[in-house]
Amino acid sequence: MTRLPRPTRTAVLRFGVAALLVVVLLLAPLWVHRLAVAALTAVFAAYLLRHLVFLTAALRPAPADPPQPQHPPRVTVLVPCHNEARVVDGLTTALAALDHPAELLQVVFVDDRSTDGTGDLLEAAIGDRPGWQVLRRAADAVGGKSAALNDALELATGEIVVVFDADHQPAPDCLRELLRPFADPLVAAAQGRCVVRNPGDSVIARLVAVDYLCGYLVNMAGRARVFGLPAYGGANCAVRTEVLRELGGWNVASVTEDTDLSVRIWLSGRRIGYAERALDTELAVTGLGAYYRQRYRWARGHQQVCRDYRRQLLRTPHLGLLEKAEAFLFLYVFHVPVLCVAAVLLAGIELSVPGLSVVGVLWPVAPLMAAGPVLEIGGGLVRAGAGRREVLPLLLFPLLFVVSMLLCTRALLDGWAGSRYSWVKTERTAQAPNARGAVT
C-alpha cells in the first residue's frame, strides 16, 4: 500500500487559518456579517475611486517630456541571465542597436550558473565590443536575480544603472527616453514601458499582453501624473548608481526586488520617474501553470514588502497624506483578490445558513469588485487604439482573476505561516521574433 506524504507545517497552518475563518463567520452574529460587508464595500470602493482617478489622468493629454540631457551620462546596463540560451541572441542584437554613445555605454551580462550554454553564447555575442563583458557566477554562488545584480553592481562604472531581463529587447531610443526623468535631481530611478511581443502564442499570452498594456498606459501613467509615485519595475528601468549603492543594492531577501527598491527610494525622500516612451518588448508566459507560478511570486514578494515597510511608510516625513494613501493602496494591491475570496465566502455562508440572509447588503460588493479592473482595461485599450482582436479575449479575464484570487490567498497564508520561499525564474516557453504581433 502506497503511503501518503505527510502534510507540511505550512499546509496545515494554511488549512487551519482558512477553516478558522469559516467557523468564525458561521458562528458570528448578524451584525458581524454586516460589518464585514461594509468593510469590504469600503475597500473595493476605495480601489474603484483609485482606478477612476488614474483613468481620468491617463486619458488627458500627456505632460511635456523632460528635456534630454545635453551631455549624456555614462550608463551601465546589467542583464542577469540564468539558462537563457533561447533568448539572448535577440537581446544582444537589440543592445547593439541602442543609440547611446558607445564610449559611454558599459554592458555587463551575468551568467548566473547557467547549464544550457548561455555563458558561451554571451561570450560569442560580445566579440570585441568595447565595454561589454560577461560575469560568470561560481557554481556554488547563492541567491537569485538580486544576488546576481549585486555582484554585477560591483563592476558598474556608469552614473546610471539600467536593468533588462534576458528576454527583453529595447527599442534603439530606449535609453535616450529612459534618461529623461533624471533631469530632475530628486528622481533616483526611472521606469520605461514594457510591451509583450508574443501575444499570438496562446490565449494566456494575449491576456497578459492586454494586462501589461493597461497596467502601463493607465495604472502606471495615473500613478505618475496624479501622485508622482510610479514604481520601479525590475526591467527596462534605471537607477542612479550612487543612490543604489547608498541603499545597499538590491534586497536579496526579497523575491520582488523591484517593489522593495521602490519603497526604499520613497523612504529616502527621492522619487521614481516614468518614461512612457522608453519602449522595450518582452515575452509573456504562455501557459496557466507558468502564469500561476509567476504571479504567486509577485504576490508573495509584494505582500512581504507590505509587511516589511508599512510602518515606516506610515511614519515617513517624505510623503504627504495623499501620497501615503496611494503608497498603501499600491502595497496592498495583492491583498485585494484575497478580499474577493472573503466576499465570495461570506456570500456563500449567507446563502446557505437559514436566517442569516443579508444578501441584499452584499449586492454592492460584486460590481465594485469588477468595476475597477474593467475601467482600467477599457482605458488602456482606448489609449492604445486597440481593435476588436484585442477585445474578444477579455471575456476570459474573469477566469484569470479567479486564478489570481486563489494564488494571492495562498501567498498570504504561506507568508503568515512563515514558509520559506526563494526567487524562481520565469520560464521562457516561447522564442518570438522581434515585435511579432506585439500589442502596443
Side-chain angles (χ1 to χ4, degrees):
M1 182 175 174
T2 303
R3 234 173 162 184
L4 293 175
R6 295 181 62 184
T8 63
R9 173 178 173 269
T10 300
V12 172
L13 286 172
R14 187 194 305 150
F15 176 80
V17 171
L20 180 62
L21 177 61
V22 173
V23 171
V24 168
L25 288 174
L26 280 170
L27 299 178
L30 182 60
W31 69 266
V32 173
H33 285 251
R34 291 186 181 274
L35 183 62
V37 170
L40 289 171
T41 302
V43 171
F44 293 140
Y47 276 94
L48 174 58
L49 177 61
R50 181 175 182 254
H51 281 292
L52 282 170
V53 170
F54 289 173
L55 179 61
T56 302
L59 293 179
R60 291 202 305 259
D65 290 329
Q68 290 180 353
Q70 291 185 343
H71 304 288
R74 181 168 177 78
V75 172
T76 295
V77 172
L78 304 182
V79 185
C81 302
H82 175 68
N83 290 338
E84 303 286 9
R86 303 179 71 182
V87 295
V88 291
D89 283 350
L91 171 68
T92 55
T93 301
L95 292 180
L98 291 172
D99 62 7
H100 197 74
E103 67 275 11
L104 298 177
L105 181 63
Q106 177 193 24
V107 179
V108 180
F109 298 98
V110 186
D111 176 22
D112 187 13
R113 301 161 293 173
S114 297
T115 57
D116 65 345
T118 294
D120 295 336
L121 289 173
L122 291 172
E123 294 280 8
I126 65 175
D128 57 355
R129 291 192 177 99
W132 288 38
Q133 63 189 106
V134 177
L135 170 64
R136 293 183 183 249
R137 298 190 78 207
D140 59 350
V142 296
K145 178 181 177 180
S146 297
L149 286 172
N150 284 335
D151 286 353
L153 180 60
E154 297 180 9
L155 304 177
T157 60
E159 302 167 52
I160 305 291
V161 166
V162 174
V163 177
F164 292 109
D165 285 343
D167 64 310
H168 283 232
Q169 295 180 10
D173 64 346
C174 182
L175 281 192
R176 186 153 41 90
E177 296 296 332
L178 198 54
L179 293 174
R180 284 183 184 270
F182 292 99
D184 181 351
L186 193 62
V187 168
Q191 176 63 44
R193 181 160 79 92
C194 302
V195 176
V196 169
R197 70 173 178 273
N198 65 321
D201 282 356
S202 71
V203 173
I204 296 295
R206 181 160 293 280
L207 292 175
V208 171
V210 174
D211 182 36
Y212 271 50
L213 183 78
C214 306
Y216 281 103
L217 291 181
V218 177
N219 194 292
M220 187 77 82
R223 278 157 45 197
R225 296 179 189 183
V226 179
F227 298 102
L229 288 177
Y232 169 95
N236 190 22
C237 51
V239 59
R240 294 189 193 273
T241 310
E242 62 176 355
V243 172
L244 186 56
R245 286 174 171 155
E246 174 193 321
L247 296 177
W250 288 273
N251 184 357
V252 296
S254 175
V255 295
T256 47
E257 82 296 331
D258 46 2
T259 305
D260 183 276
L261 183 58
S262 295
V263 177
R264 286 190 287 140
I265 287 173
W266 296 339
L267 291 173
S268 74
R270 302 176 178 94
R271 287 292 186 268
I272 300 168
Y274 177 43
E276 190 171 286
R277 297 180 188 276
L279 295 178
D280 85 337
T281 66
E282 64 174 281
L283 294 176
V285 294
T286 57
L288 194 57
Y291 176 88
Y292 185 96
R293 288 185 288 274
Q294 181 190 59
R295 299 302 168 110
Y296 175 85
R297 175 171 62 84
W298 293 2
R300 186 74 186 269
H302 211 88
Q303 292 166 356
Q304 175 194 344
V305 172
C306 183
R307 292 191 294 270
D308 289 345
Y309 296 106
R310 56 192 172 191
R311 287 182 182 153
Q312 295 179 55
L313 276 173
L314 190 61
R315 298 169 184 167
T316 181
H318 299 303
L319 297 176
L321 184 60
L322 286 177
E323 292 170 329
K324 287 181 180 180
E326 164 53 24
F328 270 85
L329 289 172
F330 167 72
L331 279 185
Y332 276 96
V333 74
F334 278 97
H335 291 71
V336 174
V338 183
L339 295 181
C340 294
V341 172
V344 171
L345 179 62
L346 188 59
I349 290 173
E350 292 174 349
L351 287 169
S352 60
V353 177
L356 190 61
S357 180
V358 287
V359 179
V361 184
L362 268 173
W363 282 122
V365 175
L368 285 174
M369 286 167 53
V374 168
L375 284 173
E376 182 174 311
I377 291 170
L381 293 174
V382 168
R383 278 206 68 195
R388 285 178 296 178
R389 190 161 169 253
E390 282 75 41
V391 174
L392 289 177
L394 301 187
L395 297 174
L396 295 175
F397 256 112
L399 175 62
L400 215 54
F401 187 70
V402 170
V403 174
S404 296
M405 290 165 59
L406 296 176
L407 68 88
C408 287
T409 302
R410 179 191 168 194
L412 185 64
L413 294 177
D414 287 349
W416 285 349
S419 68
R420 297 187 63 182
Y421 181 72
S422 57
W423 191 87
V424 177
K425 174 184 175 292
T426 299
E427 300 99 316
R428 311 296 184 208
T429 55
Q431 187 174 359
N434 295 348
R436 186 187 76 191
V439 177
T440 59

